[in-house]
Amino acid sequence: MELAAGKPGFLRNVVVRFLLFSLLVVGVRFAYVITIRGESCSFGDDFCFFSSTSPENQNLVTAAGGHLDSSSSVTLNPIAAATPEVHKRVMMFYITVFQDLIVDGFLSTKSKSLCVETPVGEDVYALKEIGVDDSIGIYKKASKPLVINGLGHRHPFKDSTFDFIFSGNGALDRSDKAAEFAAEVGRTLKPEGYAVIHTSSIDTYSFNSFIRLFNCCKFVHSRHMDGFDPDMPHIHEIVMKKIVDIKIREKTDSSLSNRCTVPGYKQDLLKKAEPLIEAEPLKPWITLKRNIENVKYLTSMADINFKQRYVYVDVGARSYGSSIVSWFKKQYPKQNKTFDIYAIEADKHFHDQYQSKKGVKLLPYAAWVKNESLVFEINQTPGDENVEKGRGMGRIQPVKSGGGIVGSVDVIQGFDFANWLKNTVTEKDFVVMKMDVEGTEFDLIPKLIETGAICLIDEVFLECHYNRWQKCCPGVRSPKYQKTYGQCLDLFKSLRQRGVLVHQWW
Protein backbone atom coordinates (compact mmCIF):
# COMPACT_ATOMS: atom_id res chain seq x y z
CA MET A 1 0.00 0.00 0.00
CA GLU A 2 2.82 2.40 0.77
CA LEU A 3 4.53 1.64 -2.56
CA ALA A 4 1.31 2.23 -4.49
CA ALA A 5 0.78 5.52 -2.73
CA GLY A 6 4.34 6.69 -3.45
CA LYS A 7 4.40 5.88 -7.19
CA PRO A 8 2.50 8.99 -8.43
CA GLY A 9 4.80 11.21 -6.35
CA PHE A 10 7.86 9.57 -7.87
CA LEU A 11 6.59 10.10 -11.44
CA ARG A 12 5.71 13.69 -10.64
CA ASN A 13 9.27 14.33 -9.41
CA VAL A 14 10.71 12.82 -12.60
CA VAL A 15 8.51 15.02 -14.79
CA VAL A 16 9.39 18.15 -12.80
CA ARG A 17 13.10 17.41 -13.02
CA PHE A 18 12.84 16.79 -16.77
CA LEU A 19 11.05 20.11 -17.27
CA LEU A 20 13.63 21.95 -15.17
CA PHE A 21 16.44 20.36 -17.16
CA SER A 22 14.74 21.38 -20.42
CA LEU A 23 14.41 24.96 -19.18
CA LEU A 24 18.10 24.93 -18.25
CA VAL A 25 19.03 23.83 -21.78
CA VAL A 26 16.83 26.55 -23.26
CA GLY A 27 18.38 29.15 -20.94
CA VAL A 28 21.93 28.15 -21.84
CA ARG A 29 21.13 28.26 -25.56
CA PHE A 30 19.44 31.65 -25.14
CA ALA A 31 22.49 33.04 -23.31
CA TYR A 32 24.72 31.72 -26.10
CA VAL A 33 22.65 33.44 -28.79
CA ILE A 34 22.53 36.73 -26.92
CA THR A 35 26.16 36.98 -25.82
CA ILE A 36 28.04 35.19 -28.57
CA ARG A 37 25.91 35.85 -31.62
CA GLY A 38 25.24 39.50 -30.79
CA GLU A 39 21.60 39.53 -29.68
CA SER A 40 20.43 38.13 -33.01
CA CYS A 41 20.87 35.21 -35.38
CA SER A 42 20.67 34.38 -39.03
CA PHE A 43 18.31 32.27 -41.04
CA GLY A 44 19.34 28.64 -41.00
CA ASP A 45 20.16 28.56 -37.29
CA ASP A 46 18.69 25.50 -35.65
CA PHE A 47 17.70 27.52 -32.60
CA CYS A 48 16.88 31.18 -33.07
CA PHE A 49 14.96 33.68 -30.95
CA PHE A 50 15.20 36.70 -33.25
CA SER A 51 14.63 36.71 -36.94
CA SER A 52 17.08 38.80 -38.91
CA THR A 53 14.10 40.15 -40.79
CA SER A 54 13.17 43.24 -38.84
CA PRO A 55 11.12 46.26 -39.90
CA GLU A 56 14.16 48.48 -40.08
CA ASN A 57 15.94 46.00 -42.39
CA GLN A 58 13.13 45.61 -44.92
CA ASN A 59 12.71 47.43 -48.22
CA LEU A 60 15.96 49.42 -48.11
CA VAL A 61 16.94 50.46 -51.62
CA THR A 62 20.61 50.71 -52.56
CA ALA A 63 22.05 53.52 -54.60
CA ALA A 64 22.45 51.06 -57.46
CA GLY A 65 18.68 50.62 -57.60
CA GLY A 66 18.35 47.21 -55.92
CA HIS A 67 16.82 46.27 -52.62
CA LEU A 68 18.79 45.42 -49.53
CA ASP A 69 18.37 41.73 -48.89
CA SER A 70 16.01 41.28 -45.96
CA SER A 71 17.54 37.88 -45.33
CA SER A 72 21.05 39.28 -45.00
CA SER A 73 23.21 37.78 -42.27
CA VAL A 74 24.19 41.33 -41.28
CA THR A 75 21.96 42.53 -38.45
CA LEU A 76 21.89 45.71 -36.42
CA ASN A 77 21.42 45.54 -32.69
CA PRO A 78 17.60 45.84 -32.40
CA ILE A 79 17.90 47.54 -29.02
CA ALA A 80 20.33 50.26 -30.12
CA ALA A 81 19.00 50.86 -33.64
CA ALA A 82 17.03 54.02 -34.39
CA THR A 83 13.47 54.17 -35.71
CA PRO A 84 12.91 52.49 -39.11
CA GLU A 85 12.63 55.84 -40.91
CA VAL A 86 15.82 57.25 -39.43
CA HIS A 87 17.60 53.95 -39.88
CA LYS A 88 16.65 53.81 -43.55
CA ARG A 89 17.87 57.38 -44.13
CA VAL A 90 21.20 56.67 -42.43
CA MET A 91 21.66 53.44 -44.40
CA MET A 92 21.05 55.19 -47.70
CA PHE A 93 23.47 57.97 -46.76
CA TYR A 94 26.36 55.65 -45.90
CA ILE A 95 25.75 53.33 -48.84
CA THR A 96 25.93 56.31 -51.21
CA VAL A 97 29.08 57.62 -49.51
CA PHE A 98 30.89 54.29 -49.70
CA GLN A 99 29.86 53.60 -53.29
CA ASP A 100 31.28 56.99 -54.28
CA LEU A 101 34.53 56.10 -52.50
CA ILE A 102 34.68 52.82 -54.43
CA VAL A 103 34.19 54.67 -57.71
CA ASP A 104 36.99 57.09 -56.77
CA GLY A 105 39.35 54.22 -55.94
CA PHE A 106 39.68 54.87 -52.19
CA LEU A 107 37.77 51.72 -51.18
CA SER A 108 37.26 48.25 -52.65
CA THR A 109 35.25 45.18 -51.75
CA LYS A 110 38.52 43.53 -50.70
CA SER A 111 39.46 46.30 -48.25
CA LYS A 112 39.82 45.28 -44.61
CA SER A 113 37.85 48.14 -43.07
CA LEU A 114 37.33 49.78 -39.69
CA CYS A 115 34.63 52.25 -38.64
CA VAL A 116 35.63 54.33 -35.61
CA GLU A 117 33.30 55.57 -32.85
CA THR A 118 30.15 54.04 -34.33
CA PRO A 119 27.55 53.39 -31.59
CA VAL A 120 25.25 51.06 -33.56
CA GLY A 121 27.34 50.16 -36.59
CA GLU A 122 25.16 51.56 -39.35
CA ASP A 123 28.25 52.46 -41.37
CA VAL A 124 29.60 48.92 -40.88
CA TYR A 125 26.23 47.55 -42.01
CA ALA A 126 26.38 49.71 -45.14
CA LEU A 127 29.89 48.50 -45.98
CA LYS A 128 28.83 44.87 -45.74
CA GLU A 129 25.74 45.50 -47.84
CA ILE A 130 27.84 46.79 -50.76
CA GLY A 131 30.20 43.84 -50.53
CA VAL A 132 32.96 45.05 -48.17
CA ASP A 133 32.53 41.99 -45.99
CA ASP A 134 35.70 42.29 -43.90
CA SER A 135 34.43 45.26 -41.89
CA ILE A 136 34.11 45.96 -38.17
CA GLY A 137 33.30 48.93 -35.96
CA ILE A 138 34.50 50.05 -32.53
CA TYR A 139 32.76 51.99 -29.78
CA LYS A 140 33.08 52.28 -26.01
CA LYS A 141 30.09 49.92 -25.70
CA ALA A 142 29.98 46.90 -27.99
CA SER A 143 26.96 46.27 -30.21
CA LYS A 144 27.64 42.83 -31.62
CA PRO A 145 28.11 41.49 -34.21
CA LEU A 146 28.97 44.74 -36.03
CA VAL A 147 30.64 46.74 -33.25
CA ILE A 148 33.16 45.59 -30.67
CA ASN A 149 34.58 47.42 -27.68
CA GLY A 150 37.18 50.06 -28.50
CA LEU A 151 37.84 53.80 -28.44
CA GLY A 152 38.74 56.33 -31.09
CA HIS A 153 42.00 57.06 -29.31
CA ARG A 154 42.70 53.41 -28.42
CA HIS A 155 42.09 50.80 -31.12
CA PRO A 156 42.15 47.13 -30.01
CA PHE A 157 44.18 46.12 -33.07
CA LYS A 158 47.80 45.65 -34.11
CA ASP A 159 49.77 48.12 -36.21
CA SER A 160 48.99 48.30 -39.95
CA THR A 161 45.82 46.20 -39.75
CA PHE A 162 43.37 48.01 -42.03
CA ASP A 163 43.25 49.11 -45.67
CA PHE A 164 40.44 51.58 -44.98
CA ILE A 165 39.43 53.50 -41.85
CA PHE A 166 36.27 55.58 -41.63
CA SER A 167 35.11 58.03 -38.95
CA GLY A 168 31.67 59.49 -39.50
CA ASN A 169 29.09 61.75 -37.89
CA GLY A 170 31.65 64.18 -36.44
CA ALA A 171 33.28 61.67 -34.07
CA LEU A 172 36.63 63.46 -34.27
CA ASP A 173 34.92 66.82 -33.67
CA ARG A 174 33.58 65.55 -30.34
CA SER A 175 36.78 63.87 -29.22
CA ASP A 176 38.71 65.54 -26.42
CA LYS A 177 41.80 63.57 -27.49
CA ALA A 178 42.12 64.60 -31.11
CA ALA A 179 45.88 64.02 -31.28
CA GLU A 180 45.59 60.47 -29.90
CA PHE A 181 42.64 59.84 -32.23
CA ALA A 182 44.73 60.82 -35.26
CA ALA A 183 47.74 58.85 -34.01
CA GLU A 184 45.67 55.66 -33.67
CA VAL A 185 44.35 56.03 -37.20
CA GLY A 186 47.93 56.33 -38.40
CA ARG A 187 49.02 53.34 -36.34
CA THR A 188 46.35 50.85 -37.40
CA LEU A 189 46.13 51.97 -41.05
CA LYS A 190 48.31 50.08 -43.51
CA PRO A 191 50.85 52.00 -45.62
CA GLU A 192 49.09 53.24 -48.78
CA GLY A 193 45.76 52.75 -46.99
CA TYR A 194 43.04 55.40 -46.94
CA ALA A 195 41.43 57.22 -44.01
CA VAL A 196 38.15 59.06 -44.54
CA ILE A 197 36.90 61.50 -41.90
CA HIS A 198 33.57 63.33 -41.77
CA THR A 199 33.71 66.62 -39.89
CA SER A 200 31.37 69.56 -39.45
CA SER A 201 34.26 72.04 -39.58
CA ILE A 202 34.34 73.89 -42.88
CA ASP A 203 36.66 76.88 -42.32
CA THR A 204 40.17 76.87 -43.78
CA TYR A 205 41.85 77.41 -40.40
CA SER A 206 40.44 74.18 -38.96
CA PHE A 207 41.16 72.35 -42.23
CA ASN A 208 44.86 73.23 -42.02
CA SER A 209 44.91 72.23 -38.34
CA PHE A 210 43.31 68.93 -39.34
CA ILE A 211 45.93 68.17 -42.00
CA ARG A 212 48.78 69.00 -39.61
CA LEU A 213 47.25 66.74 -36.94
CA PHE A 214 47.35 63.70 -39.24
CA ASN A 215 51.09 63.70 -39.87
CA CYS A 216 50.84 60.02 -40.83
CA CYS A 217 49.10 60.83 -44.06
CA LYS A 218 48.94 63.12 -47.04
CA PHE A 219 45.81 64.93 -48.09
CA VAL A 220 44.19 63.43 -51.19
CA HIS A 221 40.67 64.72 -51.66
CA SER A 222 37.79 66.52 -49.96
CA ARG A 223 34.19 67.37 -50.71
CA HIS A 224 31.19 68.94 -49.01
CA MET A 225 27.81 67.24 -48.69
CA ASP A 226 24.52 67.49 -46.86
CA GLY A 227 24.32 65.43 -43.69
CA PHE A 228 21.58 63.11 -42.44
CA ASP A 229 21.60 64.42 -38.86
CA PRO A 230 19.94 67.79 -38.02
CA ASP A 231 22.77 68.36 -35.52
CA MET A 232 25.26 68.04 -38.37
CA PRO A 233 23.51 69.41 -41.48
CA HIS A 234 26.73 69.99 -43.43
CA ILE A 235 29.59 67.53 -43.74
CA HIS A 236 33.15 68.06 -44.89
CA GLU A 237 34.57 64.74 -46.09
CA ILE A 238 38.37 64.54 -46.03
CA VAL A 239 40.29 61.67 -47.63
CA MET A 240 43.92 60.97 -46.68
CA LYS A 241 46.45 58.35 -47.72
CA LYS A 242 49.04 56.96 -45.34
CA ILE A 243 52.53 57.72 -46.55
CA VAL A 244 55.21 55.05 -46.35
CA ASP A 245 58.09 56.95 -44.74
CA ILE A 246 56.40 58.61 -41.77
CA LYS A 247 59.75 59.49 -40.14
CA ILE A 248 60.63 61.86 -42.98
CA ARG A 249 57.28 63.63 -42.58
CA GLU A 250 57.72 63.99 -38.81
CA LYS A 251 61.23 65.37 -39.24
CA THR A 252 60.02 67.93 -41.77
CA ASP A 253 57.19 69.10 -39.52
CA SER A 254 59.42 69.38 -36.45
CA SER A 255 61.98 71.64 -38.10
CA LEU A 256 60.66 75.12 -37.46
CA SER A 257 61.87 77.80 -39.82
CA ASN A 258 62.84 81.14 -38.32
CA ARG A 259 60.67 82.87 -40.88
CA CYS A 260 56.90 82.52 -40.62
CA THR A 261 54.96 81.92 -43.78
CA VAL A 262 51.62 83.69 -44.08
CA PRO A 263 49.22 81.27 -45.78
CA GLY A 264 45.97 82.46 -47.28
CA TYR A 265 43.78 81.26 -44.43
CA LYS A 266 45.75 83.40 -41.95
CA GLN A 267 45.46 86.41 -44.24
CA ASP A 268 41.69 85.90 -44.33
CA LEU A 269 41.54 85.89 -40.52
CA LEU A 270 43.61 89.07 -40.30
CA LYS A 271 41.23 90.81 -42.69
CA LYS A 272 38.37 90.01 -40.30
CA ALA A 273 40.24 91.28 -37.24
CA GLU A 274 39.34 94.58 -35.61
CA PRO A 275 41.35 97.53 -37.03
CA LEU A 276 44.25 98.89 -35.03
CA ILE A 277 43.76 102.28 -33.39
CA GLU A 278 45.83 104.51 -35.66
CA ALA A 279 45.53 107.82 -33.79
CA GLU A 280 47.08 108.11 -30.34
CA PRO A 281 44.30 108.13 -27.71
CA LEU A 282 44.09 111.26 -25.58
CA LYS A 283 42.66 109.14 -22.77
CA PRO A 284 44.34 105.76 -23.28
CA TRP A 285 43.12 104.42 -19.93
CA ILE A 286 39.58 104.65 -21.39
CA THR A 287 40.09 104.08 -25.14
CA LEU A 288 42.31 101.00 -24.88
CA LYS A 289 40.18 99.41 -22.18
CA ARG A 290 37.03 99.87 -24.26
CA ASN A 291 38.80 98.44 -27.29
CA ILE A 292 38.59 94.94 -25.79
CA GLU A 293 34.87 95.03 -26.62
CA ASN A 294 35.76 95.33 -30.32
CA VAL A 295 38.19 92.41 -30.35
CA LYS A 296 37.48 89.71 -32.93
CA TYR A 297 38.70 86.62 -31.12
CA LEU A 298 40.21 83.93 -33.29
CA THR A 299 37.91 81.39 -31.65
CA SER A 300 34.89 83.42 -32.80
CA MET A 301 36.09 83.23 -36.42
CA ALA A 302 37.43 79.68 -36.70
CA ASP A 303 37.03 76.17 -35.33
CA ILE A 304 39.92 75.09 -33.08
CA ASN A 305 38.89 71.43 -32.75
CA PHE A 306 41.84 69.79 -34.44
CA LYS A 307 44.64 70.79 -32.12
CA GLN A 308 46.97 68.60 -30.12
CA ARG A 309 46.85 70.80 -27.02
CA TYR A 310 45.40 74.13 -25.87
CA VAL A 311 47.76 76.52 -24.09
CA TYR A 312 47.42 79.97 -22.53
CA VAL A 313 50.64 81.81 -21.64
CA ASP A 314 50.27 84.88 -19.42
CA VAL A 315 53.52 86.84 -19.57
CA GLY A 316 53.47 89.33 -16.71
CA ALA A 317 50.58 87.59 -14.99
CA ARG A 318 50.73 89.43 -11.66
CA SER A 319 48.09 87.99 -9.29
CA TYR A 320 46.01 84.91 -10.09
CA GLY A 321 42.86 87.02 -10.13
CA SER A 322 44.32 89.66 -12.44
CA SER A 323 44.03 88.56 -16.07
CA ILE A 324 43.87 84.76 -15.69
CA VAL A 325 40.60 84.76 -13.76
CA SER A 326 39.04 88.12 -14.57
CA TRP A 327 39.61 87.88 -18.31
CA PHE A 328 40.84 84.57 -19.73
CA LYS A 329 38.74 82.18 -17.65
CA LYS A 330 35.61 84.35 -17.67
CA GLN A 331 35.66 86.09 -21.05
CA TYR A 332 37.88 84.38 -23.59
CA PRO A 333 35.74 82.07 -25.82
CA LYS A 334 37.42 78.68 -25.41
CA GLN A 335 34.98 76.49 -27.41
CA ASN A 336 34.69 74.18 -24.38
CA LYS A 337 38.37 73.30 -24.55
CA THR A 338 40.54 72.82 -21.47
CA PHE A 339 43.66 74.96 -21.58
CA ASP A 340 47.02 74.39 -19.93
CA ILE A 341 47.84 77.72 -18.27
CA TYR A 342 51.35 79.07 -17.72
CA ALA A 343 51.71 82.13 -15.49
CA ILE A 344 55.03 83.93 -15.92
CA GLU A 345 55.54 86.37 -13.06
CA ALA A 346 58.85 87.53 -11.57
CA ASP A 347 57.42 89.46 -8.61
CA LYS A 348 57.63 87.05 -5.67
CA HIS A 349 54.88 88.99 -3.88
CA PHE A 350 52.33 87.10 -6.04
CA HIS A 351 53.90 83.64 -6.03
CA ASP A 352 52.07 82.19 -3.03
CA GLN A 353 48.71 82.71 -4.76
CA TYR A 354 49.53 80.07 -7.36
CA GLN A 355 50.53 77.24 -5.03
CA SER A 356 47.01 75.87 -4.60
CA LYS A 357 45.69 76.66 -8.08
CA LYS A 358 45.04 73.59 -10.19
CA GLY A 359 45.66 73.74 -13.91
CA VAL A 360 48.07 76.68 -13.60
CA LYS A 361 51.84 76.33 -13.72
CA LEU A 362 53.81 79.25 -12.31
CA LEU A 363 57.16 80.21 -13.80
CA PRO A 364 58.60 82.51 -11.08
CA TYR A 365 61.01 84.25 -13.44
CA ALA A 366 61.11 87.15 -15.84
CA ALA A 367 60.59 86.52 -19.55
CA TRP A 368 63.74 87.77 -21.25
CA VAL A 369 65.93 87.32 -24.33
CA LYS A 370 68.44 85.05 -22.58
CA ASN A 371 69.17 83.35 -19.28
CA GLU A 372 70.72 85.91 -16.94
CA SER A 373 70.20 87.82 -13.69
CA LEU A 374 68.09 90.96 -13.94
CA VAL A 375 67.17 93.99 -11.87
CA PHE A 376 63.44 94.15 -11.19
CA GLU A 377 61.93 97.54 -10.34
CA ILE A 378 59.25 97.66 -7.64
CA ASN A 379 57.05 100.73 -7.26
CA GLN A 380 54.47 101.22 -4.53
CA THR A 381 51.85 103.90 -4.91
CA PRO A 382 52.18 106.24 -1.88
CA GLY A 383 49.26 106.00 0.53
CA ASP A 384 47.67 103.00 -1.20
CA GLU A 385 46.83 100.48 1.50
CA ASN A 386 45.85 97.81 -1.02
CA VAL A 387 49.25 96.23 -1.58
CA GLU A 388 48.19 94.26 -4.63
CA LYS A 389 46.63 97.19 -6.51
CA GLY A 390 49.14 99.75 -5.29
CA ARG A 391 52.17 97.64 -6.13
CA GLY A 392 53.52 98.98 -9.41
CA MET A 393 54.47 96.50 -12.11
CA GLY A 394 58.20 96.77 -12.50
CA ARG A 395 60.53 97.09 -15.44
CA ILE A 396 63.42 94.70 -15.80
CA GLN A 397 66.97 95.41 -16.89
CA PRO A 398 70.22 93.44 -16.88
CA VAL A 399 72.10 93.74 -13.59
CA LYS A 400 75.07 95.48 -15.22
CA SER A 401 72.85 98.21 -16.62
CA GLY A 402 70.45 99.20 -13.87
CA GLY A 403 70.18 102.75 -15.17
CA GLY A 404 66.94 104.70 -15.20
CA ILE A 405 65.31 102.78 -12.36
CA VAL A 406 63.80 105.05 -9.75
CA GLY A 407 61.94 102.63 -7.44
CA SER A 408 63.23 99.94 -5.11
CA VAL A 409 64.82 97.00 -6.87
CA ASP A 410 65.13 93.26 -6.52
CA VAL A 411 67.50 90.90 -8.32
CA ILE A 412 65.62 88.16 -10.17
CA GLN A 413 66.36 85.45 -12.70
CA GLY A 414 65.46 86.02 -16.33
CA PHE A 415 65.04 83.18 -18.82
CA ASP A 416 65.13 82.83 -22.59
CA PHE A 417 61.42 83.07 -23.31
CA ALA A 418 61.66 82.31 -27.04
CA ASN A 419 63.68 79.17 -26.40
CA TRP A 420 61.28 78.06 -23.64
CA LEU A 421 58.31 78.54 -25.96
CA LYS A 422 59.91 76.44 -28.72
CA ASN A 423 60.55 73.65 -26.22
CA THR A 424 57.07 73.79 -24.67
CA VAL A 425 54.59 74.02 -27.56
CA THR A 426 54.43 72.91 -31.19
CA GLU A 427 52.67 74.06 -34.34
CA LYS A 428 50.00 71.43 -33.62
CA ASP A 429 49.01 73.24 -30.41
CA PHE A 430 46.64 76.17 -30.09
CA VAL A 431 48.51 78.90 -28.21
CA VAL A 432 47.12 82.16 -26.82
CA MET A 433 49.50 84.67 -25.24
CA LYS A 434 48.86 87.79 -23.20
CA MET A 435 51.91 90.00 -22.70
CA ASP A 436 52.13 92.90 -20.25
CA VAL A 437 55.82 93.36 -19.43
CA GLU A 438 56.30 97.08 -18.82
CA GLY A 439 58.21 97.95 -21.97
CA THR A 440 60.16 94.71 -22.31
CA GLU A 441 57.93 93.85 -25.28
CA PHE A 442 60.37 95.87 -27.43
CA ASP A 443 63.01 93.27 -26.54
CA LEU A 444 60.88 90.12 -26.46
CA ILE A 445 58.83 90.51 -29.65
CA PRO A 446 61.88 91.02 -31.95
CA LYS A 447 63.49 87.94 -30.36
CA LEU A 448 60.34 85.88 -30.95
CA ILE A 449 60.36 86.99 -34.59
CA GLU A 450 64.09 86.40 -35.03
CA THR A 451 63.94 82.83 -33.67
CA GLY A 452 60.68 81.90 -35.38
CA ALA A 453 59.00 81.25 -32.03
CA ILE A 454 56.32 83.77 -32.97
CA CYS A 455 55.07 81.21 -35.53
CA LEU A 456 53.93 79.00 -32.64
CA ILE A 457 51.50 81.59 -31.26
CA ASP A 458 48.00 81.72 -32.71
CA GLU A 459 46.71 84.82 -30.94
CA VAL A 460 48.42 87.62 -28.99
CA PHE A 461 47.01 90.21 -26.59
CA LEU A 462 49.76 92.78 -26.20
CA GLU A 463 49.94 95.87 -24.03
CA CYS A 464 52.49 98.23 -25.51
CA HIS A 465 54.03 100.73 -23.10
CA TYR A 466 54.86 104.23 -24.29
CA ASN A 467 55.05 107.79 -22.95
CA ARG A 468 51.29 108.08 -22.74
CA TRP A 469 49.31 111.04 -21.46
CA GLN A 470 48.90 110.90 -17.70
CA LYS A 471 45.49 110.63 -16.09
CA CYS A 472 46.51 112.78 -13.16
CA CYS A 473 48.03 115.61 -15.12
CA PRO A 474 46.41 116.82 -18.39
CA GLY A 475 48.97 117.62 -21.08
CA VAL A 476 51.79 115.79 -19.30
CA ARG A 477 53.29 112.54 -20.57
CA SER A 478 54.55 109.70 -18.41
CA PRO A 479 58.33 109.84 -17.94
CA LYS A 480 58.46 106.10 -17.20
CA TYR A 481 58.75 104.99 -20.85
CA GLN A 482 60.70 106.46 -23.76
CA LYS A 483 58.87 104.78 -26.65
CA THR A 484 56.14 106.65 -28.53
CA TYR A 485 52.68 105.54 -29.59
CA GLY A 486 53.90 105.48 -33.18
CA GLN A 487 56.55 102.94 -32.27
CA CYS A 488 53.92 100.80 -30.55
CA LEU A 489 51.74 100.97 -33.64
CA ASP A 490 54.68 99.85 -35.79
CA LEU A 491 55.16 96.87 -33.45
CA PHE A 492 51.53 95.80 -33.84
CA LYS A 493 51.65 96.22 -37.62
CA SER A 494 54.85 94.19 -37.93
CA LEU A 495 53.17 91.29 -36.11
CA ARG A 496 50.08 91.35 -38.31
CA GLN A 497 52.23 91.53 -41.43
CA ARG A 498 53.83 88.28 -40.27
CA GLY A 499 50.44 86.60 -39.96
CA VAL A 500 50.08 86.98 -36.19
CA LEU A 501 46.59 87.87 -34.95
CA VAL A 502 47.55 90.51 -32.37
CA HIS A 503 45.17 92.72 -30.40
CA GLN A 504 45.82 95.97 -28.52
CA TRP A 505 45.61 95.23 -24.79
CA TRP A 506 45.17 97.89 -22.12
Side-chain angles (χ1 to χ4, degrees):
M1 296 296 293
E2 292 179 359
L3 290 175
K7 191 172 183 179
F10 173 78
L11 292 175
R12 185 166 54 252
N13 289 338
V14 170
V15 172
V16 170
R17 291 181 181 182
F18 176 77
L19 291 175
L20 289 174
F21 178 78
S22 300
L23 288 174
L24 178 62
V25 172
V26 171
V28 170
R29 179 59 175 167
F30 181 82
Y32 169 81
V33 171
I34 293 298
T35 59
I36 304 302
R37 300 300 303 274
E39 301 181 339
S40 183
C41 52
S42 306
F43 284 121
D45 283 336
D46 56 351
F47 198 96
C48 186
F49 287 96
F50 300 102
S51 170
S52 63
T53 306
S54 57
E56 62 267 30
N57 290 340
Q58 295 177 352
N59 300 323
L60 293 181
V61 182
T62 67
H67 288 269
L68 294 182
D69 186 2
S70 62
S71 63
S72 170
S73 62
V74 181
T75 309
L76 283 177
N77 184 333
I79 297 176
T83 62
E85 294 77 12
V86 173
H87 174 56
K88 186 183 297 185
R89 185 170 70 251
V90 175
M91 288 297 99
M92 285 300 304
F93 173 81
Y94 282 129
I95 286 173
T96 302
V97 165
F98 293 138
Q99 286 182 331
D100 288 344
L101 291 171
I102 287 178
V103 171
D104 292 335
F106 306 132
L107 174 66
S108 77
T109 55
K110 296 181 180 179
S111 298
K112 185 177 181 65
S113 303
L114 171 67
C115 295
V116 180
E117 294 287 349
T118 174
V120 183
E122 291 155 323
D123 40 6
V124 183
Y125 185 103
L127 281 169
K128 289 180 178 290
E129 283 296 331
I130 63 173
V132 188
D133 295 327
D134 194 359
S135 303
I136 192 68
I138 58 172
Y139 191 63
K140 60 184 178 182
K141 184 178 181 181
S143 183
K144 296 178 180 179
L146 300 179
V147 181
I148 64 173
N149 183 263
L151 298 171
H153 60 275
R154 193 183 306 141
H155 299 181
F157 305 105
K158 296 180 180 179
D159 296 357
S160 302
T161 298
F162 297 98
D163 304 293
F164 177 83
I165 295 180
F166 176 75
S167 174
N169 202 26
L172 180 57
D173 296 358
R174 298 188 300 273
S175 175
D176 58 355
K177 297 182 178 180
E180 291 91 334
F181 191 112
E184 278 295 87
V185 170
R187 183 184 68 80
T188 56
L189 187 64
K190 293 179 181 179
E192 305 297 324
Y194 290 96
V196 177
I197 310 293
H198 281 186
T199 172
S200 60
S201 300
I202 58 175
D203 62 273
T204 53
Y205 180 89
S206 64
F207 174 74
N208 281 273
S209 300
F210 178 96
I211 298 301
R212 185 173 285 119
L213 193 65
F214 283 85
N215 64 345
C216 63
C217 308
K218 67 177 181 180
F219 168 71
V220 176
H221 171 76
S222 73
R223 62 171 175 161
H224 295 273
M225 63 184 76
D226 293 331
F228 61 85
D229 190 339
D231 294 332
M232 191 176 174
H234 305 292
I235 292 175
H236 187 191
E237 180 181 84
I238 303 174
V239 181
M240 296 168 296
K241 184 177 183 179
K242 184 174 178 179
I243 56 179
V244 178
D245 199 342
I246 188 172
K247 293 183 179 179
I248 294 178
R249 172 70 175 273
E250 289 176 342
K251 184 177 180 180
T252 302
D253 286 350
S254 63
S255 59
L256 183 63
S257 171
N258 288 352
R259 184 176 179 83
C260 295
T261 58
V262 188
Y265 71 92
K266 282 192 174 182
Q267 294 177 358
D268 292 339
L269 285 175
L270 290 171
K271 290 176 183 177
K272 297 177 183 178
E274 76 282 358
L276 297 172
I277 301 173
E278 295 282 346
E280 180 183 354
L282 296 178
K283 297 181 179 180
W285 56 91
I286 296 177
T287 304
L288 294 176
K289 189 171 184 177
R290 286 179 178 173
N291 186 57
I292 197 67
E293 299 175 2
N294 302 321
V295 165
K296 298 291 183 63
Y297 294 100
L298 192 156
T299 48
S300 67
M301 299 186 287
D303 192 331
I304 62 171
N305 262 328
F306 309 121
K307 291 292 185 177
Q308 178 173 272
R309 199 160 61 110
Y310 302 88
V311 179
Y312 172 60
V313 182
D314 197 322
V315 189
R318 300 200 79 204
S319 68
Y320 176 70
S322 181
S323 52
I324 292 178
V325 172
S326 65
W327 171 70
F328 184 74
K329 286 198 169 186
K330 291 185 178 180
Q331 299 182 41
Y332 186 82
K334 293 178 278 294
Q335 294 188 10
N336 295 321
K337 304 299 181 183
T338 300
F339 280 70
D340 295 331
I341 299 176
Y342 292 90
I344 300 176
E345 177 53 57
D347 192 342
K348 59 186 178 183
H349 171 75
F350 301 109
H351 292 173
D352 289 343
Q353 298 183 22
Y354 292 94
Q355 291 182 359
S356 60
K357 306 304 179 184
K358 295 182 179 180
V360 180
K361 184 174 182 179
L362 172 67
L363 278 69
Y365 315 109
W368 187 234
V369 296
K370 59 182 178 179
N371 299 326
E372 66 174 339
S373 296
L374 300 168
V375 173
F376 182 74
E377 178 185 6
I378 302 173
N379 300 313
Q380 183 68 35
T381 303
D384 196 328
E385 297 180 358
N386 188 320
V387 176
E388 184 169 310
K389 290 186 177 181
R391 190 179 181 86
M393 292 180 285
R395 293 172 291 171
I396 60 174
Q397 294 185 20
V399 170
K400 294 180 181 179
S401 172
I405 292 182
V406 296
S408 59
V409 298
D410 194 3
V411 177
I412 58 171
Q413 181 62 42
F415 73 103
D416 189 332
F417 176 63
N419 185 63
W420 172 84
L421 193 65
K422 294 178 74 170
N423 288 316
T424 304
V425 300
T426 72
E427 286 185 303
K428 295 180 183 179
D429 300 327
F430 181 77
V431 182
V432 180
M433 181 182 75
K434 187 228 79 180
M435 180 177 284
D436 181 3
V437 287
E438 301 300 304
T440 311
E441 61 270 13
F442 285 98
D443 299 292
L444 292 177
I445 296 298
K447 183 65 180 296
L448 290 173
I449 294 173
E450 176 190 339
T451 59
I454 197 70
C455 309
L456 300 170
I457 304 174
D458 293 88
E459 191 167 20
V460 179
F461 296 83
L462 173 64
E463 179 174 358
C464 188
H465 298 80
Y466 64 98
N467 58 346
R468 62 174 63 185
W469 299 111
Q470 295 190 73
K471 186 177 181 180
C472 65
C473 315
V476 179
R477 291 185 179 275
S478 169
K480 189 175 181 180
Y481 307 106
Q482 302 303 314
K483 301 294 184 180
T484 65
Y485 185 80
Q487 289 174 299
C488 282
L489 194 59
D490 289 341
L491 189 62
F492 284 108
K493 288 181 177 180
S494 69
L495 286 171
R496 288 199 175 183
Q497 288 169 359
R498 287 173 170 80
V500 180
L501 182 59
V502 62
H503 310 283
Q504 289 170 295
W505 189 257
W506 74 92

